[in-house]
């Protein structure tokens, strides 16, 4: 089975995926089923081999209206980045090394030996980027704080230069009328913490709470949204099980420990946020993956995939319990020891993890099909990121599932996007325009059906360092020439800007 080198949001080495419980049932229609059955393409993770993908762009038969679909007043339009992917300047102002510096420096981990230098040089160029954001009309900008800039070794007193940088960034955003969304952890753990076990040890959650408290104290006067942990699944699975991301481990039991300790860190930081009296709101960012059984009469495999990809994260945070079918040796499960995992959760942990949040941030890239055994199978066209099966309707299904299966909570889509079809600098990206248009339409449709969706952030503002893909995979609505650092808005940026100005998505 091919190793998914670094697919962030993605399926496990052998078989992976996930589903909205109700949504996979919606695939019962004969068209969808035929398409799904034709979809067992060789080469996909867990794919069992056979014919090519039959695209199913419109499985439910829903047709977007012929006129613009409007969003509620106050709907937040944003764009997102993360520190290691855009900042560069990895050795200035006292920043300590992170696991990603270590990982990228290891031969063979990242395409072409790329590293977080120079990225998009945003550490130095943020004023210029804020002008860009203003020109686009963005209402919000999501960035992450590099923990090793604040605590170079992951604990102890704050580094004033690090704090000063983010203070200036936040102030400049606020001055420009752009609401900051501040991610506390987007995978760049201080290397010193990794050296003593990183997220596989409980103590890292406590260290994270200390780090978070430093930032609430320093920036808590600002009316901002805070995201505690970005995609704990990706960091746990790809970083600790598949070995494709830092820290490069390949042990499902360590991945399971990284799940629990990141969730615990989220809960502890949420408690610290309340205790600090900081302004603004706080939530967690979960990448969710609707999984559709290719056989509506047998959804057991898809249920397991849903458990490991979605409910393993949603249930503890929103319901205060772990699902009992996420871990185990059956296809579709995280193949870790369930007893050892259960022992990690000390009395009170799940109360901490389910501390009330102000919003749920979800990151949506696509869907997966699952066969009756629990293997991932392709049922929709993939983008240039091989793990991304694109289906805009999956976003609608996911939002409806959240509405129906979990307690009501404001929802924000904090990542949604697609890579360019070329690794060269380009500004001509009609596929991204269509991706955004169709996903915005599904978001509007879900709002119309009662989903409390409050905002939509595009991934990404800028072309950047795409983890193990290095600089080859470009996800920005703004192109970056990494030689000159020149920024040029792509066609999709113009489209997005028009959507923001109208607060409505136009028909095709
Ligand atoms: O670039 C990543 C981001 O860091 C996390 N979510 C998925 C994006 C695209 O792969």
């Amino acid at each position: 089975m091919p190793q998914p080198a670094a697919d962030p949001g993605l399926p496990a080495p052998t078989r992976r995926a996930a589903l909205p419980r109700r949504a996979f049932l919606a695939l019962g229609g004969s068209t969808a089923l035929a398409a799904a059955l034709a979809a067992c393409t060789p080469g996909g993770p867990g794919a069992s081999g056979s014919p090519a993908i039959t695209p199913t762009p419109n499985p439910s038969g829903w047709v977007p209206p012929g006129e613009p679909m409007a969003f509620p007043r106050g709907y937040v339009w944003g764009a997102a980045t993360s520190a290691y992917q855009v900042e560069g300047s990895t050795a200035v102002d006292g920043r300590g090394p992170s696991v990603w510096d270590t990982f990228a420096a290891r031969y063979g981990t990242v395409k072409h030996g790329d590293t977080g230098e120079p990225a998009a040089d945003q550490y130095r160029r943020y004023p210029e980027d804020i002008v860009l954001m203003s020109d686009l009309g963005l209402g919000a900008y999501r960035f992450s704080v590099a923990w090793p800039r604040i605590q170079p070794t992951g604990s102890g007193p704050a580094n004033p230069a690090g704090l000063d940088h983010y203070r200036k960034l936040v102030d400049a955003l606020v001055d420009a009328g752009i609401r900051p969304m501040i991610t506390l952890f987007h995978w760049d753990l201080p290397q010193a913490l990794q050296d003593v076990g990183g997220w596989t040890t409980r103590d890292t959650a406590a260290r994270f709470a200390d780090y978070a408290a430093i930032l609430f104290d320093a920036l808590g006067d600002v009316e901002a949204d805070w995201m505690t942990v970005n995609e704990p699944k990706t960091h746990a699975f790809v970083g600790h099980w598949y070995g494709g991301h830092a820290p490069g481990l390949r042990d499902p039991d360590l991945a399971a420990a990284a799940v629990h300790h990141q969730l615990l860190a989220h809960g502890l930081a949420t408690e610290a946020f309340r205790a600090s009296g900081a302004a603004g709101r706080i939530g967690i960012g979960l990448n969710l993956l609707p999984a559709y059984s290719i056989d509506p009469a047998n959804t057991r495999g898809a249920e397991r995939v849903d458990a490991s990809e979605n409910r393993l994260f949603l249930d503890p945070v929103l319901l205060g319990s772990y699902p009992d079918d996420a871990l185990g040796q059956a296809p579709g499960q995280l193949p870790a020891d369930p007893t050892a995992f259960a022992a990690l959760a000390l009395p009170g942990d799940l109360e901490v993890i389910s501390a009330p949040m102000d919003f749920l941030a979800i990151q949506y890239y696509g869907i997966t099909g699952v066969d009756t055994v629990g293997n991932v199978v392709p049922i929709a066209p993939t983008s240039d990121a091989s793990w991304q099966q694109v289906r805009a309707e999956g976003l609608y299904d996911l939002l409806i599932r959240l509405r129906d299966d979990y307690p009501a909570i404001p929802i924000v889509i904090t990542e949604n996007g697609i890579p360019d079809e070329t690794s060269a600098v380009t500004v001509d990206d009609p596929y991204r325009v269509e991706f955004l248009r169709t996903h915005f339409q599904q978001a509007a449709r879900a709002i119309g059906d009662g989903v409390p969706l409050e905002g939509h952030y595009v991934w990404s503002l800028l072309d950047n360092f795409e983890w193990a893909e290095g600089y080859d995979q470009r996800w920005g609505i703004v192109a970056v020439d990494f030689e000159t650092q020149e920024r040029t808005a792509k066609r999709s940026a113009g489209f997005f800007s028009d959507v923001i100005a109208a607060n409505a998505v136009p028909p095709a």
Side-chain angles (χ1 to χ4, degrees):
M1 203 46 56
Q3 282 293 321
D7 312 343
L10 154 81
T14 49
R15 61 244 163 169
R16 296 277 68 230
L19 98 159
R21 275 186 188 176
R22 283 173 178 71
F24 73 74
L25 294 173
L27 259 186
S30 55
T31 313
L33 181 59
L37 290 173
C40 307
T41 309
S48 48
S50 91
I53 296 168
T54 302
T56 56
N58 187 17
S60 77
W62 181 80
V63 178
E67 60 276 352
M69 297 180 78
F71 287 83
R73 187 189 297 273
Y75 195 73
V76 176
W77 293 105
T81 62
S82 86
Y84 194 74
Q85 293 180 272
V86 298
E87 283 184 350
S89 299
T90 53
V92 308
D93 292 344
R95 179 187 178 279
S98 78
V99 290
W100 264 97
D101 297 287
T102 310
F103 184 76
R106 228 159 70 202
Y107 180 77
T109 55
V110 178
K111 264 194 190 163
H112 311 305
D114 292 345
T115 71
E117 290 287 0
D121 194 23
Q122 194 180 72
Y123 190 76
R124 296 187 307 147
R125 290 172 193 263
Y126 71 87
E128 177 190 338
D129 287 344
I130 291 174
V131 172
L132 248 171
M133 295 175 213
S134 294
D135 289 347
L136 289 174
L138 290 189
Y141 178 54
R142 177 181 159 227
F143 64 93
S144 79
V145 173
W147 185 349
R149 291 196 194 279
I150 304 302
Q151 292 176 298
T153 56
S155 59
N159 167 29
L163 283 180
D164 188 48
H165 170 72
Y166 293 108
R167 176 85 243 178
K168 286 192 292 205
L169 172 59
V170 161
D171 285 349
L173 287 167
V174 171
D175 287 349
I178 297 168
R179 183 179 177 89
M181 178 177 273
I182 308 169
T183 307
L184 288 167
F185 179 67
H186 198 124
W187 310 344
D188 46 358
L189 190 76
Q191 181 61 42
L193 291 185
Q194 189 61 43
D195 293 343
V196 291
W199 289 112
T200 70
T201 65
R202 189 177 175 87
D203 187 57
T204 298
R207 300 284 68 75
F208 181 77
D210 291 348
Y211 152 67
I214 290 172
L215 285 165
F216 301 147
D217 185 44
L219 302 175
D221 57 311
V222 178
E223 187 57 47
D225 288 327
W226 294 82
M227 180 187 290
T228 52
V229 179
N230 170 78
E231 295 187 13
K233 176 175 64 184
T234 311
H235 191 58
F237 289 13
V238 186
H240 296 72
W241 171 18
Y242 316 165
H245 277 187
L249 305 175
R250 292 174 186 266
D251 182 333
D253 286 303
L254 296 182
V259 169
H260 182 66
H261 296 137
Q262 286 181 91
L263 293 178
L264 183 61
H266 153 74
L268 291 171
T270 303
E271 289 186 342
F273 181 76
R274 303 288 178 223
S276 74
R281 313 189 305 170
I282 195 159
I284 192 170
L286 301 181
N287 55 321
L288 301 172
L289 182 65
Y292 299 84
S293 176
I294 62 170
D295 178 359
N298 181 350
T299 59
R300 283 192 298 279
E303 287 279 358
R304 286 195 297 272
V305 166
D306 178 52
S308 62
E309 290 278 346
N310 300 323
R311 286 184 278 119
L312 180 58
F313 303 88
L314 287 167
D315 287 11
V317 164
L318 295 174
L319 303 176
S321 59
Y322 279 117
D324 59 12
D325 52 350
L327 274 63
Q329 299 304 317
Q333 293 180 312
L334 166 59
D337 176 1
T339 310
F341 180 68
L344 295 171
L346 302 187
D349 278 9
L350 280 155
E351 284 73 32
V352 173
I353 290 171
S354 58
M357 306 184 293
D358 300 308
F359 60 87
L360 172 68
I362 63 163
Q363 322 214 133
Y364 179 78
Y365 286 94
I367 60 148
T368 191
V370 185
D371 69 14
T372 55
V373 177
N375 297 311
V376 166
V377 292
I379 58 170
T382 53
S383 73
D384 264 36
S386 59
W387 51 270
Q388 186 180 28
Q389 294 187 46
V390 176
R391 180 184 287 164
E393 281 210 332
L395 176 60
Y396 174 81
D397 292 343
L398 172 61
L399 291 168
I400 295 297
R401 186 259 180 101
L402 293 172
R403 182 198 68 184
D404 291 350
D405 288 359
Y406 291 95
I409 184 168
I411 298 173
V412 186
I413 298 165
T414 44
E415 287 187 23
N416 186 216
I418 191 171
D420 279 330
E421 293 178 352
T422 169
S423 59
V425 181
T426 184
V427 295
D428 193 26
D429 57 350
Y431 38 85
R432 185 173 287 109
V433 171
E434 278 323 294
F435 181 96
L436 295 179
R437 182 200 308 282
T438 52
H439 285 75
F440 294 162
Q441 285 171 330
Q442 296 296 336
R445 177 185 172 204
I447 293 169
D449 287 343
V451 173
L453 182 62
E454 297 190 344
H456 204 130
Y457 289 65
V458 167
W459 183 271
S460 174
L461 176 69
L462 302 169
D463 290 342
N464 58 49
F465 174 80
E466 176 54 24
W467 307 116
E469 297 296 326
Y471 295 102
D472 262 11
Q473 216 173 69
R474 296 171 172 272
W475 290 76
I477 57 172
V478 174
V480 177
D481 179 330
F482 296 110
E483 297 296 320
T484 63
Q485 291 297 339
E486 187 186 357
R487 275 90 161 122
T488 315
K490 301 182 189 177
R491 200 201 290 190
S492 58
F495 171 78
F496 190 34
S497 192
D498 291 345
V499 168
I500 296 170
N503 201 30
V505 55

